[in-house]
Amino acid sequence: MLDKSIKIPGPDHPITVEHNPCRVVVTFGGRTIADSRNALTLREASYPPVHYIPRRDVDMTLLQRTDHRTHCPYKGDASYYSIALGGERSENAVWTYEAPHAAVSNIKDYLAFYPDRVDVIEEMASPEPGAF
């Protein structure tokens, strides 16, 4: 039986989720898969930051849900999608927490992409108000 324990982030395993002020763009096969000015950045312990993008800013027609699932005691159960584009396919390249634990509830309805399974995840600085 899988351990489905729930752990609360704290000093020994901190997690923060913040609005990302940059535009976040994800490409695969030379095509834009996601483009958002509403991304969240999750920082967890010593792991690299992860950008979570709202579903409304992702081309969901290019994603195919898979049977793959994982469990994180801090975030909950993750579901996965593969990216299918033309003849290219990136297996389980995208994950989402559809019912995340309370500590990270704001990532519900957001998707994250594995950097090594897409072409690039790019953060583009937003221009200063009034700048050209």
Short mmCIF file of all heavy atoms in Angstrom, two decimals, residues 8-69:
data_model
loop_
_atom_site.label_atom_id
_atom_site.label_comp_id
_atom_site.label_asym_id
_atom_site.label_seq_id
_atom_site.Cartn_x
_atom_site.Cartn_y
_atom_site.Cartn_z
N ILE A 8 3.04 18.91 6.49
CA ILE A 8 2.87 20.35 6.45
C ILE A 8 4.23 21.00 6.23
O ILE A 8 5.19 20.70 6.95
CB ILE A 8 2.24 20.87 7.78
CG1 ILE A 8 0.96 20.11 8.11
CG2 ILE A 8 2.01 22.37 7.71
CD1 ILE A 8 -0.14 20.24 7.10
N PRO A 9 4.35 21.90 5.25
CA PRO A 9 5.62 22.60 5.07
C PRO A 9 6.01 23.36 6.33
O PRO A 9 5.14 23.84 7.07
CB PRO A 9 5.32 23.58 3.92
CG PRO A 9 4.14 23.01 3.23
CD PRO A 9 3.34 22.30 4.29
N GLY A 10 7.29 23.44 6.59
CA GLY A 10 7.80 24.14 7.77
C GLY A 10 9.26 24.47 7.59
O GLY A 10 9.80 24.34 6.48
N PRO A 11 9.93 24.85 8.66
CA PRO A 11 11.34 25.24 8.56
C PRO A 11 12.25 24.16 7.96
O PRO A 11 13.20 24.47 7.26
CB PRO A 11 11.74 25.55 10.00
CG PRO A 11 10.46 25.80 10.72
CD PRO A 11 9.41 25.00 10.01
N ASP A 12 11.93 22.89 8.22
CA ASP A 12 12.76 21.80 7.70
C ASP A 12 12.44 21.48 6.23
O ASP A 12 13.24 20.85 5.54
CB ASP A 12 12.60 20.55 8.57
CG ASP A 12 11.17 20.04 8.61
OD1 ASP A 12 10.24 20.88 8.58
OD2 ASP A 12 10.98 18.81 8.68
N HIS A 13 11.28 21.90 5.75
CA HIS A 13 10.87 21.68 4.36
C HIS A 13 9.93 22.82 3.94
O HIS A 13 8.72 22.64 3.85
CB HIS A 13 10.17 20.31 4.22
CG HIS A 13 10.03 19.88 2.79
ND1 HIS A 13 10.89 19.01 2.20
CD2 HIS A 13 9.14 20.22 1.83
CE1 HIS A 13 10.53 18.80 0.94
NE2 HIS A 13 9.46 19.54 0.69
N PRO A 14 10.51 24.01 3.69
CA PRO A 14 9.65 25.15 3.35
C PRO A 14 9.11 25.07 1.93
O PRO A 14 9.77 24.54 1.03
CB PRO A 14 10.59 26.35 3.50
CG PRO A 14 11.95 25.79 3.26
CD PRO A 14 11.92 24.37 3.77
N ILE A 15 7.89 25.57 1.76
CA ILE A 15 7.28 25.71 0.43
C ILE A 15 6.63 27.08 0.38
O ILE A 15 5.88 27.46 1.27
CB ILE A 15 6.23 24.62 0.16
CG1 ILE A 15 6.86 23.23 0.15
CG2 ILE A 15 5.52 24.89 -1.18
CD1 ILE A 15 5.87 22.09 -0.07
N THR A 16 6.94 27.81 -0.69
CA THR A 16 6.26 29.08 -0.94
C THR A 16 5.70 29.07 -2.36
O THR A 16 6.27 28.43 -3.26
CB THR A 16 7.20 30.29 -0.80
OG1 THR A 16 8.26 30.17 -1.75
CG2 THR A 16 7.77 30.38 0.61
N VAL A 17 4.58 29.74 -2.53
CA VAL A 17 3.97 29.89 -3.85
C VAL A 17 3.69 31.38 -4.02
O VAL A 17 2.97 31.97 -3.22
CB VAL A 17 2.66 29.08 -3.98
CG1 VAL A 17 2.06 29.27 -5.37
CG2 VAL A 17 2.89 27.61 -3.69
N GLU A 18 4.27 31.96 -5.08
CA GLU A 18 4.11 33.39 -5.32
C GLU A 18 3.76 33.65 -6.77
O GLU A 18 4.18 32.90 -7.66
CB GLU A 18 5.42 34.13 -4.99
CG GLU A 18 5.85 34.01 -3.56
CD GLU A 18 7.22 34.61 -3.31
OE1 GLU A 18 8.05 34.64 -4.24
OE2 GLU A 18 7.45 35.05 -2.17
N HIS A 19 3.04 34.75 -7.00
CA HIS A 19 2.78 35.19 -8.37
C HIS A 19 4.10 35.52 -9.03
O HIS A 19 4.96 36.18 -8.43
CB HIS A 19 1.86 36.42 -8.36
CG HIS A 19 1.73 37.04 -9.72
ND1 HIS A 19 0.98 36.47 -10.73
CD2 HIS A 19 2.28 38.15 -10.24
CE1 HIS A 19 1.07 37.22 -11.81
NE2 HIS A 19 1.85 38.25 -11.54
N ASN A 20 4.30 35.07 -10.26
CA ASN A 20 5.51 35.38 -11.01
C ASN A 20 5.24 36.64 -11.83
O ASN A 20 4.33 36.65 -12.66
CB ASN A 20 5.87 34.21 -11.93
CG ASN A 20 7.20 34.39 -12.60
OD1 ASN A 20 7.59 35.49 -12.96
ND2 ASN A 20 7.91 33.30 -12.80
N PRO A 21 6.00 37.71 -11.62
CA PRO A 21 5.76 38.95 -12.34
C PRO A 21 6.15 38.89 -13.82
O PRO A 21 5.81 39.78 -14.60
CB PRO A 21 6.62 39.98 -11.60
CG PRO A 21 7.73 39.17 -11.02
CD PRO A 21 7.12 37.83 -10.67
N CYS A 22 6.85 37.83 -14.23
CA CYS A 22 7.30 37.68 -15.61
C CYS A 22 6.25 36.96 -16.45
O CYS A 22 5.38 36.26 -15.94
CB CYS A 22 8.60 36.88 -15.67
SG CYS A 22 9.98 37.68 -14.85
N ARG A 23 6.38 37.12 -17.73
CA ARG A 23 5.61 36.32 -18.68
C ARG A 23 6.36 35.00 -18.80
O ARG A 23 7.58 34.99 -19.00
CB ARG A 23 5.56 37.04 -20.02
CG ARG A 23 4.87 36.28 -21.11
CD ARG A 23 4.89 37.12 -22.38
NE ARG A 23 4.41 36.35 -23.50
CZ ARG A 23 4.65 36.66 -24.77
NH1 ARG A 23 5.36 37.74 -25.06
NH2 ARG A 23 4.17 35.91 -25.72
N VAL A 24 5.65 33.88 -18.66
CA VAL A 24 6.27 32.56 -18.75
C VAL A 24 5.75 31.87 -20.02
O VAL A 24 4.54 31.75 -20.21
CB VAL A 24 5.98 31.70 -17.50
CG1 VAL A 24 6.60 30.31 -17.65
CG2 VAL A 24 6.49 32.40 -16.24
N VAL A 25 6.69 31.45 -20.87
CA VAL A 25 6.34 30.82 -22.14
C VAL A 25 7.01 29.45 -22.21
O VAL A 25 8.20 29.32 -21.94
CB VAL A 25 6.78 31.69 -23.34
CG1 VAL A 25 6.45 31.00 -24.67
CG2 VAL A 25 6.13 33.07 -23.27
N VAL A 26 6.23 28.43 -22.58
CA VAL A 26 6.74 27.07 -22.73
C VAL A 26 6.58 26.67 -24.19
O VAL A 26 5.50 26.82 -24.77
CB VAL A 26 5.96 26.07 -21.84
CG1 VAL A 26 6.51 24.65 -22.01
CG2 VAL A 26 6.00 26.49 -20.38
N THR A 27 7.68 26.16 -24.79
CA THR A 27 7.61 25.70 -26.17
C THR A 27 8.05 24.24 -26.27
O THR A 27 8.85 23.76 -25.47
CB THR A 27 8.49 26.56 -27.11
OG1 THR A 27 9.84 26.50 -26.67
CG2 THR A 27 8.02 28.00 -27.15
N PHE A 28 7.48 23.57 -27.26
CA PHE A 28 7.84 22.18 -27.57
C PHE A 28 7.67 22.00 -29.07
O PHE A 28 6.66 22.42 -29.64
CB PHE A 28 6.94 21.20 -26.81
CG PHE A 28 7.20 19.76 -27.18
CD1 PHE A 28 8.34 19.12 -26.73
CD2 PHE A 28 6.32 19.07 -27.99
CE1 PHE A 28 8.60 17.80 -27.08
CE2 PHE A 28 6.57 17.75 -28.33
CZ PHE A 28 7.70 17.12 -27.88
N GLY A 29 8.65 21.38 -29.70
CA GLY A 29 8.58 21.16 -31.14
C GLY A 29 8.48 22.47 -31.90
O GLY A 29 7.85 22.52 -32.96
N GLY A 30 9.05 23.53 -31.33
CA GLY A 30 9.01 24.83 -31.98
C GLY A 30 7.68 25.55 -31.86
O GLY A 30 7.49 26.60 -32.46
N ARG A 31 6.77 25.01 -31.10
CA ARG A 31 5.43 25.60 -30.96
C ARG A 31 5.18 26.03 -29.51
O ARG A 31 5.59 25.34 -28.58
CB ARG A 31 4.38 24.58 -31.39
CG ARG A 31 2.98 25.13 -31.37
CD ARG A 31 2.07 24.30 -32.22
NE ARG A 31 0.69 24.68 -31.99
CZ ARG A 31 -0.34 24.02 -32.45
NH1 ARG A 31 -0.14 22.92 -33.16
NH2 ARG A 31 -1.55 24.41 -32.22
N THR A 32 4.48 27.13 -29.33
CA THR A 32 4.14 27.59 -27.99
C THR A 32 3.04 26.70 -27.42
O THR A 32 1.98 26.54 -28.01
CB THR A 32 3.66 29.06 -28.02
OG1 THR A 32 4.74 29.86 -28.51
CG2 THR A 32 3.26 29.53 -26.63
N ILE A 33 3.33 26.09 -26.27
CA ILE A 33 2.39 25.23 -25.57
C ILE A 33 1.65 26.02 -24.50
O ILE A 33 0.48 25.80 -24.23
CB ILE A 33 3.13 24.04 -24.90
CG1 ILE A 33 3.94 23.25 -25.93
CG2 ILE A 33 2.18 23.14 -24.13
CD1 ILE A 33 3.10 22.59 -27.00
N ALA A 34 2.38 26.94 -23.86
CA ALA A 34 1.80 27.76 -22.79
C ALA A 34 2.40 29.16 -22.87
O ALA A 34 3.57 29.32 -23.18
CB ALA A 34 2.09 27.14 -21.43
N ASP A 35 1.56 30.16 -22.56
CA ASP A 35 2.00 31.55 -22.57
C ASP A 35 1.18 32.27 -21.51
O ASP A 35 -0.04 32.40 -21.66
CB ASP A 35 1.77 32.15 -23.96
CG ASP A 35 2.36 33.54 -24.11
OD1 ASP A 35 2.63 34.21 -23.08
OD2 ASP A 35 2.54 33.98 -25.26
N SER A 36 1.83 32.70 -20.44
CA SER A 36 1.07 33.24 -19.31
C SER A 36 1.75 34.42 -18.64
O SER A 36 2.96 34.44 -18.48
CB SER A 36 0.84 32.15 -18.27
OG SER A 36 0.07 32.64 -17.21
N ARG A 37 0.95 35.37 -18.25
CA ARG A 37 1.37 36.46 -17.38
C ARG A 37 0.79 36.25 -15.98
O ARG A 37 0.84 37.13 -15.14
CB ARG A 37 0.92 37.80 -17.94
CG ARG A 37 1.54 38.14 -19.28
CD ARG A 37 1.08 39.50 -19.77
NE ARG A 37 1.43 39.73 -21.16
CZ ARG A 37 2.63 40.08 -21.60
NH1 ARG A 37 3.62 40.24 -20.75
NH2 ARG A 37 2.86 40.27 -22.88
N ASN A 38 0.24 35.05 -15.76
CA ASN A 38 -0.42 34.72 -14.49
C ASN A 38 0.17 33.49 -13.84
O ASN A 38 -0.50 32.81 -13.06
CB ASN A 38 -1.92 34.51 -14.73
CG ASN A 38 -2.57 35.74 -15.29
OD1 ASN A 38 -2.61 36.77 -14.65
ND2 ASN A 38 -3.06 35.65 -16.53
N ALA A 39 1.42 33.17 -14.15
CA ALA A 39 2.06 31.98 -13.60
C ALA A 39 2.36 32.17 -12.11
O ALA A 39 2.53 33.29 -11.62
CB ALA A 39 3.34 31.67 -14.35
N LEU A 40 2.41 31.05 -11.42
CA LEU A 40 2.85 31.01 -10.03
C LEU A 40 4.20 30.31 -10.00
O LEU A 40 4.43 29.39 -10.79
CB LEU A 40 1.85 30.24 -9.17
CG LEU A 40 0.43 30.78 -9.12
CD1 LEU A 40 -0.48 29.82 -8.35
CD2 LEU A 40 0.41 32.16 -8.49
N THR A 41 5.07 30.70 -9.09
CA THR A 41 6.35 30.02 -8.92
C THR A 41 6.36 29.38 -7.54
O THR A 41 6.16 30.06 -6.53
CB THR A 41 7.53 30.98 -9.08
OG1 THR A 41 7.48 31.53 -10.41
CG2 THR A 41 8.85 30.26 -8.90
N LEU A 42 6.54 28.07 -7.53
CA LEU A 42 6.59 27.30 -6.28
C LEU A 42 8.05 27.01 -5.97
O LEU A 42 8.79 26.52 -6.83
CB LEU A 42 5.80 26.00 -6.44
CG LEU A 42 5.70 25.13 -5.19
CD1 LEU A 42 4.32 24.49 -5.12
CD2 LEU A 42 6.77 24.06 -5.16
N ARG A 43 8.46 27.38 -4.77
CA ARG A 43 9.80 27.06 -4.29
C ARG A 43 9.64 26.10 -3.12
O ARG A 43 8.93 26.40 -2.16
CB ARG A 43 10.52 28.34 -3.87
CG ARG A 43 10.90 29.21 -5.04
CD ARG A 43 11.59 30.51 -4.61
NE ARG A 43 12.06 31.26 -5.76
CZ ARG A 43 11.28 32.02 -6.53
NH1 ARG A 43 10.00 32.14 -6.25
NH2 ARG A 43 11.79 32.67 -7.56
N GLU A 44 10.31 24.95 -3.26
CA GLU A 44 10.19 23.89 -2.26
C GLU A 44 11.56 23.43 -1.81
O GLU A 44 12.35 22.94 -2.62
CB GLU A 44 9.42 22.70 -2.84
CG GLU A 44 9.28 21.55 -1.89
CD GLU A 44 8.45 20.41 -2.46
OE1 GLU A 44 8.02 20.48 -3.62
OE2 GLU A 44 8.26 19.43 -1.73
N ALA A 45 11.83 23.63 -0.52
CA ALA A 45 13.10 23.19 0.08
C ALA A 45 14.26 23.58 -0.83
O ALA A 45 14.35 24.72 -1.25
CB ALA A 45 13.04 21.71 0.39
N SER A 46 15.14 22.64 -1.15
CA SER A 46 16.32 22.95 -1.98
C SER A 46 16.11 22.61 -3.45
O SER A 46 17.06 22.67 -4.24
CB SER A 46 17.53 22.19 -1.44
OG SER A 46 17.30 20.81 -1.51
N TYR A 47 14.87 22.28 -3.85
CA TYR A 47 14.59 21.96 -5.26
C TYR A 47 14.59 23.23 -6.11
O TYR A 47 14.31 24.32 -5.61
CB TYR A 47 13.23 21.26 -5.39
CG TYR A 47 13.12 19.97 -4.63
CD1 TYR A 47 12.25 19.86 -3.55
CD2 TYR A 47 13.90 18.87 -4.96
CE1 TYR A 47 12.13 18.68 -2.84
CE2 TYR A 47 13.80 17.69 -4.25
CZ TYR A 47 12.91 17.60 -3.19
OH TYR A 47 12.81 16.43 -2.50
N PRO A 48 14.83 23.09 -7.42
CA PRO A 48 14.73 24.27 -8.30
C PRO A 48 13.29 24.79 -8.31
O PRO A 48 12.34 24.01 -8.15
CB PRO A 48 15.11 23.73 -9.68
CG PRO A 48 15.80 22.43 -9.43
CD PRO A 48 15.27 21.89 -8.13
N PRO A 49 13.10 26.09 -8.52
CA PRO A 49 11.74 26.64 -8.60
C PRO A 49 10.96 26.00 -9.75
O PRO A 49 11.54 25.63 -10.78
CB PRO A 49 11.96 28.13 -8.88
CG PRO A 49 13.38 28.40 -8.55
CD PRO A 49 14.13 27.11 -8.70
N VAL A 50 9.66 25.87 -9.57
CA VAL A 50 8.77 25.30 -10.58
C VAL A 50 7.70 26.33 -10.91
O VAL A 50 7.07 26.89 -10.01
CB VAL A 50 8.12 24.00 -10.09
CG1 VAL A 50 7.11 23.47 -11.10
CG2 VAL A 50 9.17 22.94 -9.79
N HIS A 51 7.49 26.56 -12.22
CA HIS A 51 6.46 27.49 -12.67
C HIS A 51 5.17 26.72 -12.92
O HIS A 51 5.18 25.74 -13.68
CB HIS A 51 6.90 28.21 -13.94
CG HIS A 51 8.19 28.94 -13.77
ND1 HIS A 51 8.36 29.95 -12.83
CD2 HIS A 51 9.37 28.81 -14.39
CE1 HIS A 51 9.59 30.40 -12.90
NE2 HIS A 51 10.23 29.72 -13.83
N TYR A 52 4.10 27.16 -12.29
CA TYR A 52 2.77 26.59 -12.50
C TYR A 52 1.96 27.59 -13.31
O TYR A 52 1.87 28.76 -12.96
CB TYR A 52 2.09 26.31 -11.15
CG TYR A 52 2.59 25.05 -10.49
CD1 TYR A 52 3.76 25.04 -9.75
CD2 TYR A 52 1.89 23.85 -10.62
CE1 TYR A 52 4.22 23.87 -9.15
CE2 TYR A 52 2.34 22.68 -10.02
CZ TYR A 52 3.51 22.71 -9.29
OH TYR A 52 3.96 21.55 -8.70
N ILE A 53 1.39 27.10 -14.41
CA ILE A 53 0.70 27.96 -15.36
C ILE A 53 -0.79 27.61 -15.35
O ILE A 53 -1.16 26.44 -15.39
CB ILE A 53 1.30 27.77 -16.77
CG1 ILE A 53 2.78 28.17 -16.72
CG2 ILE A 53 0.52 28.57 -17.81
CD1 ILE A 53 3.54 27.88 -17.98
N PRO A 54 -1.66 28.63 -15.30
CA PRO A 54 -3.10 28.35 -15.31
C PRO A 54 -3.51 27.59 -16.57
O PRO A 54 -2.99 27.86 -17.66
CB PRO A 54 -3.76 29.73 -15.30
CG PRO A 54 -2.70 30.73 -15.08
CD PRO A 54 -1.37 30.06 -15.32
N ARG A 55 -4.42 26.65 -16.43
CA ARG A 55 -4.89 25.86 -17.57
C ARG A 55 -5.37 26.75 -18.71
O ARG A 55 -5.17 26.42 -19.88
CB ARG A 55 -6.03 24.93 -17.15
CG ARG A 55 -5.58 23.74 -16.35
CD ARG A 55 -6.79 22.92 -15.89
NE ARG A 55 -6.36 21.89 -14.98
CZ ARG A 55 -6.21 20.60 -15.32
NH1 ARG A 55 -6.48 20.22 -16.54
NH2 ARG A 55 -5.80 19.75 -14.43
N ARG A 56 -6.00 27.87 -18.38
CA ARG A 56 -6.54 28.75 -19.42
C ARG A 56 -5.43 29.33 -20.31
O ARG A 56 -5.70 29.83 -21.40
CB ARG A 56 -7.38 29.87 -18.80
CG ARG A 56 -6.58 30.88 -18.01
CD ARG A 56 -7.46 31.97 -17.40
NE ARG A 56 -6.68 32.90 -16.61
CZ ARG A 56 -6.39 32.77 -15.33
NH1 ARG A 56 -6.83 31.73 -14.66
NH2 ARG A 56 -5.66 33.68 -14.71
N ASP A 57 -4.18 29.28 -19.85
CA ASP A 57 -3.05 29.80 -20.62
C ASP A 57 -2.22 28.70 -21.28
O ASP A 57 -1.11 28.95 -21.75
CB ASP A 57 -2.14 30.65 -19.71
CG ASP A 57 -2.84 31.91 -19.21
OD1 ASP A 57 -3.82 32.34 -19.84
OD2 ASP A 57 -2.40 32.45 -18.18
N VAL A 58 -2.76 27.49 -21.30
CA VAL A 58 -2.09 26.32 -21.89
C VAL A 58 -2.93 25.80 -23.04
O VAL A 58 -4.17 25.73 -22.93
CB VAL A 58 -1.89 25.20 -20.83
CG1 VAL A 58 -1.26 23.96 -21.46
CG2 VAL A 58 -1.05 25.71 -19.66
N ASP A 59 -2.31 25.44 -24.15
CA ASP A 59 -3.02 24.84 -25.27
C ASP A 59 -3.31 23.38 -24.92
O ASP A 59 -2.52 22.49 -25.21
CB ASP A 59 -2.21 24.95 -26.55
CG ASP A 59 -2.99 24.48 -27.78
OD1 ASP A 59 -4.05 23.83 -27.62
OD2 ASP A 59 -2.52 24.76 -28.90
N MET A 60 -4.45 23.17 -24.26
CA MET A 60 -4.81 21.84 -23.78
C MET A 60 -5.07 20.85 -24.91
O MET A 60 -5.04 19.64 -24.70
CB MET A 60 -6.03 21.92 -22.85
CG MET A 60 -5.80 22.72 -21.56
SD MET A 60 -4.53 22.03 -20.48
CE MET A 60 -5.33 20.52 -19.92
N THR A 61 -5.29 21.34 -26.14
CA THR A 61 -5.53 20.43 -27.27
C THR A 61 -4.28 19.64 -27.62
O THR A 61 -4.37 18.62 -28.31
CB THR A 61 -6.01 21.20 -28.52
OG1 THR A 61 -4.96 22.08 -28.97
CG2 THR A 61 -7.28 22.00 -28.22
N LEU A 62 -3.11 20.09 -27.15
CA LEU A 62 -1.85 19.40 -27.44
C LEU A 62 -1.46 18.41 -26.35
O LEU A 62 -0.45 17.73 -26.46
CB LEU A 62 -0.73 20.42 -27.64
CG LEU A 62 -0.95 21.42 -28.77
CD1 LEU A 62 0.16 22.46 -28.79
CD2 LEU A 62 -1.06 20.71 -30.10
N LEU A 63 -2.26 18.35 -25.28
CA LEU A 63 -1.94 17.48 -24.15
C LEU A 63 -2.86 16.26 -24.13
O LEU A 63 -4.04 16.37 -24.42
CB LEU A 63 -2.08 18.24 -22.83
CG LEU A 63 -1.28 19.53 -22.68
CD1 LEU A 63 -1.43 20.07 -21.27
CD2 LEU A 63 0.18 19.33 -23.02
N GLN A 64 -2.29 15.13 -23.77
CA GLN A 64 -3.05 13.88 -23.62
C GLN A 64 -2.82 13.33 -22.23
O GLN A 64 -1.68 13.06 -21.84
CB GLN A 64 -2.60 12.86 -24.67
CG GLN A 64 -2.88 13.30 -26.08
CD GLN A 64 -2.34 12.33 -27.11
OE1 GLN A 64 -1.54 11.44 -26.80
NE2 GLN A 64 -2.77 12.48 -28.35
N ARG A 65 -3.91 13.19 -21.47
CA ARG A 65 -3.81 12.66 -20.10
C ARG A 65 -3.28 11.24 -20.16
O ARG A 65 -3.62 10.47 -21.05
CB ARG A 65 -5.18 12.68 -19.42
CG ARG A 65 -5.09 12.29 -17.94
CD ARG A 65 -6.46 12.30 -17.28
NE ARG A 65 -6.91 13.63 -16.96
CZ ARG A 65 -6.62 14.26 -15.83
NH1 ARG A 65 -5.86 13.69 -14.93
NH2 ARG A 65 -7.09 15.46 -15.60
N THR A 66 -2.42 10.91 -19.19
CA THR A 66 -1.88 9.55 -19.11
C THR A 66 -2.37 8.91 -17.81
O THR A 66 -3.02 9.56 -16.99
CB THR A 66 -0.33 9.57 -19.12
OG1 THR A 66 0.15 10.11 -17.89
CG2 THR A 66 0.21 10.37 -20.29
N ASP A 67 -2.06 7.65 -17.63
CA ASP A 67 -2.43 6.93 -16.41
C ASP A 67 -1.40 7.12 -15.30
O ASP A 67 -1.60 6.64 -14.19
CB ASP A 67 -2.59 5.44 -16.70
CG ASP A 67 -3.78 5.15 -17.60
OD1 ASP A 67 -4.75 5.93 -17.56
OD2 ASP A 67 -3.73 4.15 -18.34
N HIS A 68 -0.30 7.80 -15.60
CA HIS A 68 0.78 7.99 -14.62
C HIS A 68 0.30 8.87 -13.47
O HIS A 68 -0.36 9.88 -13.68
CB HIS A 68 1.99 8.61 -15.30
CG HIS A 68 3.20 8.71 -14.43
ND1 HIS A 68 3.84 7.60 -13.92
CD2 HIS A 68 3.87 9.79 -13.98
CE1 HIS A 68 4.87 8.00 -13.19
NE2 HIS A 68 4.91 9.33 -13.20
N ARG A 69 0.63 8.47 -12.24
CA ARG A 69 0.28 9.24 -11.04
C ARG A 69 1.44 9.18 -10.07
O ARG A 69 2.17 8.19 -10.01
CB ARG A 69 -0.95 8.66 -10.33
CG ARG A 69 -2.20 8.53 -11.18
CD ARG A 69 -2.93 9.85 -11.29
NE ARG A 69 -4.17 9.71 -12.02
CZ ARG A 69 -4.31 9.82 -13.34
NH1 ARG A 69 -3.25 10.04 -14.08
NH2 ARG A 69 -5.46 9.71 -13.92
#
